[in-house]
Every structure is written in structure tokens, then in C-alpha cells.
Amino acid sequence: MASRIARKITKAVLSREQMDGDGARVYRSIGSHALRNLDPFLMLDEFDVRAPGGFPDHPHRGFETVTYMLDGEFLHEDFKGHKGRIGPGDLQWMSAAKGIVHAEIPANNSRAHGLQLWINLSSADKLSEPNYQEYPKEQVLHVSPEEGIDIKVIAGESYGVQSPVMTRTPTMFIDVKLKKGKTMEQVIPKNYAGFIYTVAGTALFGGDQHKSEAHHTLVLSENGGTYIPVESTSDDCHFVVIAGQPIKEPIVQHGPFVMNTQQEIYQAFADYQHGRNGFEGAPEWTSSIRDRWSS
Ligand code: CO
């Protein structure tokens, strides 16, 4: 029988609140000073926004943004007229690739709470056509291997359930809720790098049973382990497992543009400013939702 190796937790970092966008509160995980980036991931924010806060008109190039709502509702609108509303449990997987300009704003006066993950694209995909994959709550696959274990398969696979989401950069994103005393094992490909982000409650994570509370980023060992064991120690245990295949290319990031070279960053700014190479119409565009909450 082949030996099974459990992933361990090699680093644990508590996220502190910070402000981003326009008066929007976020707990930054990956992408903070303590955790610069974790190839292929550039950033994970747990956002907790109330109007008039939000993320008014801004561009992206060179990567994908994944927005997964936990509570409340967000409106979004982009410069090509694509718009909508995402509510609790809804998923928006946006491949900005060569260029998206959009706004993300709370839909009402309630708390808008969720996760936004930035996944890098390889040089071959950075200037692809933008693409959306949108899954309302009812279409996000879930699996409950036993009572007290509830898993949503945002990307990748868990307990034999495979998400239909296409990931240009091979990625898994698993949302887990456990009742106290429940144990689960998440299978992970050997070559994936990743982390766990804890949203609520307490549990023991990984082969060393690392004890963690909420708002922590737990970096997984890269020992080629094939599974992650978790045992919940509270009734409200909620965390996500995010892992992917490292791209292993140089990363040059300037705010919302993530490319391979400084030259490509200058190009991104120039394209955005002059409305070309994917940013056609960007200079003239303003969203209809950006001033929703200003009086
Ligand atoms: Co954005």
C-alpha cells in the first residue's frame, strides 16, 4: 500500500483589518506584508463592507478574481456592460486576463461579507480574452459526507464531487463547515501549493494538528502530501482550503496589474490610459453604480 503523507501547517499568520478600495474593510490574508504571495495566488481578502464603502471603478489585467459571497449582496458592473448582483453563497469567477474595468459596490445598507481571491495567470494566459463564470448558490456543488460536515466545492474536487468551474491555472477552492468533533480529510494534488483561511470557529489543522482560531492564514507544507486532515473543536468551524499549481514565473505587480516584466506593467498603464489592447472604451467609461451611495 502506498504511504499517505498529510500536509502540515508551516506558517500561521493572523489577518488584521485594513482599509481598501473606498472605505472598505478587509482582512488581508495572502497579499499582506507577512505573506507576499503564494504562487499561484496573489491575494485573498475577507471583505466586510458597508455602504458607502465599496470598490468603485478600477481595472484589472493579468490574473483572475474570484468573489464568493458569505453574507449580504454586492452589485457589479463592467465597462462592456456586463452587470449583476451576487448574494450569499453565489460565486463569480472572473478571468480579467487582458483587461476588465469594473465596480463592486454593496447592493443595500446591510453588511456585505465574503472572500475575494486573486489567482495569477501564466504568461500564455495573461492577455487572453476576459471571461466570466457565474454560479448562483443553487448551482455551487456541495457534498455532505456525514451529518455535521458541509462542503461546497467552488473549484476542484472534494469527496468525489467535481466542480464544473474551469480554472486556467489549475486550482482548488473548497469551503468547509464542521460541527464540533467532526473530522474530514481534503485530498490535495501533490504538486499544489496552498493554504487554509479560517473564517470562524476553531479546529486542528494538518498532520501536526495545528490549533487555529478565525482570521488566520495557515500555509500548507510542500512535502508532496496528498491530504489535509481537519478536526473541528467548535460548532461554528468554517474555513476554506485554497491550493493550486505554482506558475513559477516572475511576478511584477503594480496595484491591479500583474505581469511578468516592468515593461509589461508600463504597457498595461498605457493601454488602460489610451483605451487599447483590451481596454477599448475604458477612458470614457464610468459605472452607473459608483455613486450609488454618495449624496
Ligand atoms: Co475588482
Side-chain angles (χ1 to χ4, degrees), residues 55 58-60 65 94 102 104 116 118:
F55 305 95
H58 61 278
H60 295 285
T65 71
M94 182 184 91
H102 72 165
E104 304 156 284
Q116 186 169 88
W118 289 12

Side-chain angles (χ1 to χ4, degrees), residues 262-292:
Q262 191 62 48
Q263 184 54 42
E264 289 167 344
I265 292 292
Y266 295 141
Q267 186 67 47
F269 274 101
D271 288 346
Y272 176 50
Q273 210 171 4
H274 297 111
R276 61 191 186 207
N277 297 324
F279 284 118
E280 285 77 8
E284 302 82 50
W285 182 76
T286 53
S287 72
S288 67
I289 58 176
R290 67 173 297 155
D291 295 325
R292 184 179 177 85

Side-chain angles (χ1 to χ4, degrees), residues 217-260:
T217 303
L218 312 175
V219 178
L220 299 172
S221 61
E222 295 185 41
N223 60 0
T226 53
Y227 74 105
I228 308 159
V230 181
E231 179 181 347
S232 174
T233 52
S234 73
D235 260 334
D236 61 344
C237 176
H238 183 195
F239 61 92
V240 292
V241 181
I242 294 172
Q245 191 175 308
I247 293 170
K248 297 178 180 167
E249 289 178 6
I251 296 169
V252 181
Q253 176 166 4
H254 198 105
F257 303 131
V258 182
M259 303 301 291
N260 297 116

Side-chain angles (χ1 to χ4, degrees), residues 179-240:
K179 293 291 186 198
K180 189 174 182 177
K182 290 293 171 182
T183 60
M184 61 90 71
E185 287 184 1
Q186 175 58 44
V187 170
I188 177 171
K190 264 186 187 173
N191 63 336
Y192 275 21
F195 61 99
I196 291 165
Y197 179 74
T198 56
V199 178
T202 57
L204 305 172
F205 294 95
D208 282 348
Q209 299 207 301
H210 177 95
K211 190 176 176 179
S212 184
E213 298 174 338
H215 306 304
H216 282 75
T217 303
L218 312 175
V219 178
L220 299 172
S221 61
E222 295 185 41
N223 60 0
T226 53
Y227 74 105
I228 308 159
V230 181
E231 179 181 347
S232 174
T233 52
S234 73
D235 260 334
D236 61 344
C237 176
H238 183 195
F239 61 92
V240 292

Side-chain angles (χ1 to χ4, degrees), residues 24-293:
R25 183 166 63 152
V26 302
Y27 293 91
R28 185 150 296 165
S29 157
I30 304 300
S32 64
H33 282 292
L35 290 164
R36 222 34 225 152
N37 46 53
L38 202 162
D39 190 9
F41 305 106
L42 302 164
M43 194 190 83
L44 175 71
D45 276 351
E46 178 185 354
F47 57 86
D48 196 340
V49 183
R50 277 176 186 276
F55 305 95
D57 310 6
H58 61 278
H60 295 285
R61 174 181 275 183
F63 60 101
E64 308 194 320
T65 71
V66 178
T67 307
Y68 179 50
M69 287 305 284
L70 298 173
D71 305 287
E73 292 185 321
F74 248 31
L75 299 177
H76 67 89
E77 178 181 332
D78 82 9
F79 74 141
K80 301 290 185 196
H82 183 88
K83 55 182 164 180
R85 176 186 288 254
I86 54 173
D90 295 348
L91 171 69
Q92 182 195 65
W93 196 290
M94 182 184 91
S95 193
K98 73 179 179 181
I100 287 280
V101 188
H102 72 165
E104 304 156 284
I105 303 283
N108 51 46
N109 270 313
S110 311
R111 173 189 189 216
H113 175 218
L115 300 172
Q116 186 169 88
L117 175 69
W118 289 12
I119 308 172
N120 203 5
L121 288 168
S122 72
S123 55
D125 287 327
K126 281 186 180 296
L127 297 180
S128 299
E129 288 299 320
N131 176 50
Y132 286 93
Q133 299 177 81
E134 288 172 306
Y135 290 87
K137 179 191 168 92
E138 308 74 51
Q139 289 173 24
V140 174
L141 297 182
H142 57 93
V143 56
S144 180
E146 64 181 270
E147 202 180 323
I149 305 180
D150 283 298
I151 299 173
K152 290 186 179 169
V153 190
I154 311 294
E157 186 177 336
S158 190
Y159 287 91
V161 173
Q162 174 86 48
S163 163
V165 169
M166 186 275 289
T167 60
R168 279 173 162 159
T169 301
T171 301
M172 59 183 277
F173 185 156
I174 311 292
D175 174 57
V176 182
K177 286 183 177 169
L178 300 176
K179 293 291 186 198
K180 189 174 182 177
K182 290 293 171 182
T183 60
M184 61 90 71
E185 287 184 1
Q186 175 58 44
V187 170
I188 177 171
K190 264 186 187 173
N191 63 336
Y192 275 21
F195 61 99
I196 291 165
Y197 179 74
T198 56
V199 178
T202 57
L204 305 172
F205 294 95
D208 282 348
Q209 299 207 301
H210 177 95
K211 190 176 176 179
S212 184
E213 298 174 338
H215 306 304
H216 282 75
T217 303
L218 312 175
V219 178
L220 299 172
S221 61
E222 295 185 41
N223 60 0
T226 53
Y227 74 105
I228 308 159
V230 181
E231 179 181 347
S232 174
T233 52
S234 73
D235 260 334
D236 61 344
C237 176
H238 183 195
F239 61 92
V240 292
V241 181
I242 294 172
Q245 191 175 308
I247 293 170
K248 297 178 180 167
E249 289 178 6
I251 296 169
V252 181
Q253 176 166 4
H254 198 105
F257 303 131
V258 182
M259 303 301 291
N260 297 116
T261 68
Q262 191 62 48
Q263 184 54 42
E264 289 167 344
I265 292 292
Y266 295 141
Q267 186 67 47
F269 274 101
D271 288 346
Y272 176 50
Q273 210 171 4
H274 297 111
R276 61 191 186 207
N277 297 324
F279 284 118
E280 285 77 8
E284 302 82 50
W285 182 76
T286 53
S287 72
S288 67
I289 58 176
R290 67 173 297 155
D291 295 325
R292 184 179 177 85
W293 299 105

